[in-house]
Amino acid sequence: MGSVETADVVIIGGGVIGASTAYYLARRKLGRIVLLERETLGSGSTGRSVASIDLFSHHPAALALQARAYEVFAHFEEIFGQECGLVITGLAVLGGSEHAAGLQQAALSAGAAGIEADLLSPAEFAALEPAADVTGLASIYYAPLGGYADPMLTTNAFAGAARHSGVIFQQGRSVTGLRRQGGQVAGVETASGPIAAPVVVSAAGPWSQRLLKLFGLSDLGLYACDHPVISMHGPADVGPPQLSLLDLPHQTYARPETGHLTLAGSMDRSVGYEPIELENFRGQAAAEYTFWVAERLVQRYPALEASELRQGWSGLMTISPDWQPVLGAIPEARGLYIATGFSGQGFKIGPAVGDLMAGLIAGEAEAAELLAPFHPSRFAEGRPLAKSEFGALG
Ligand SMILES: Cc1cc2nc3c(=O)[nH]c(=O)nc-3n(C[C@H](O)[C@H](O)[C@H](O)COP(=O)(O)OP(=O)(O)OC[C@H]3O[C@@H](n4cnc5c(N)ncnc54)[C@H](O)[C@@H]3O)c2cc1C
């Protein structure tokens, strides 16, 4: 019989979160780090992400993570010697009079977190986006540095740098169980044998809830949903909107994409966020949803009436009970950490989450403080975070 494989840390999942955690653990020289991915890097939510970097949230703790992650996106080439595909479009969050107070508070909180954000009048917004219909708008939150990046470039750069620092990546190797000795984690089981390790980080995206069950641990109320994204081409004479947008009255989001495209979707929690069994995932946007989004987008940008609908897609998101990330130690199994439940907003904070999860494992006080609001035990303790009044992506 061969000897059991060993590691100091095993990471489950090779999406943007697993890859960035691997990189930051390696930077802290936390020993032998092994990342296990059931399929290929980025094959979960990450590779299907719209990857908007919307510098916006109703929650100050989430803004702190966004600001920290943005520092990495903005200096990506200097750090990794390769690009993450960052395109700065500016982000506008369009609000009616009922949203004005909330947007003002969000702008103040963003400023306190170090994110540049202003409030614009409808006329000021129209000067930036002349093709927009501003009917019904009263207040606009504007973050000039918002934009989007490329999720696969980002993930591969983290993985490449982590490999360079000695992290072992094993793709096509699925975790099937957690090894425990009393209350302490002792490693993971896989079809090709166990790996003994005192620390395990579960960054398994939509599979997280299933893994917790498999591990015999408490339910965190997470669910996977199949979220569709639509794609519109043109129109030739006006072009797509230039800014990234969250349109609160219409409950849609949109951002430009190369090739004259607009990518868009719903931010209404009751449209496009329904729970799905993972086996039923097909990866396509249904016609009914496509029209729901396109119709609203055309109301805001009448010129888009002349655009062409192109093939969209869908991806699995992991929704938590308060629609905020779930980040931290699982008290039932000492040595087990979880980073999941991003509720459609994990890409833009990916670099910060990896850094802070690694910091938490290394016992750093700053990491513990910044992650405290997102602790997994908040649900069992009856203190979930307040749900955003703005919709799914607020
Ligand atoms: C359509 C769509 C649009 C989005 N748009 C945005 C956006 O505009 N901005 C934004 O910030 N976020 C967005 N998101 C959310 C963002 O993409 C996710 O929050 C982020 O990619 C999560 O990364 P992850 O590493 O946690 O999960 P994943 O990328 O899902 O990675 C988890 C990995 O774990 C692996 N795994 C699972 N179980 C096991 C196991 N047992 N053993 C080994 N490996 C396992 C999976 O194969 C998978 O690769 C969007 C998501 C979707 C689906």
Side-chain angles (χ1 to χ4, degrees), residues 6-12 18-36 162-163 165-170 195 197 199 201 358 361:
T6 62
D8 293 296
V9 185
V10 170
I11 299 167
I12 311 171
S20 77
T21 303
Y23 167 73
Y24 287 107
L25 282 168
R27 270 201 24 184
R28 287 176 171 81
K29 303 199 187 327
L30 290 182
R32 184 179 157 87
I33 298 153
V34 177
L35 183 147
L36 303 176
R163 275 193 192 100
S165 307
V167 176
I168 299 159
F169 282 74
Q170 299 191 352
I195 303 179
V199 175
V201 183
I361 291 164

Side-chain angles (χ1 to χ4, degrees), residues 11-15 17-19 35-38 41 175 201-205:
I11 299 167
I12 311 171
I17 300 299
L35 183 147
L36 303 176
E37 164 53 52
R38 66 193 278 273
L41 292 184
V175 169
V201 183
S202 178

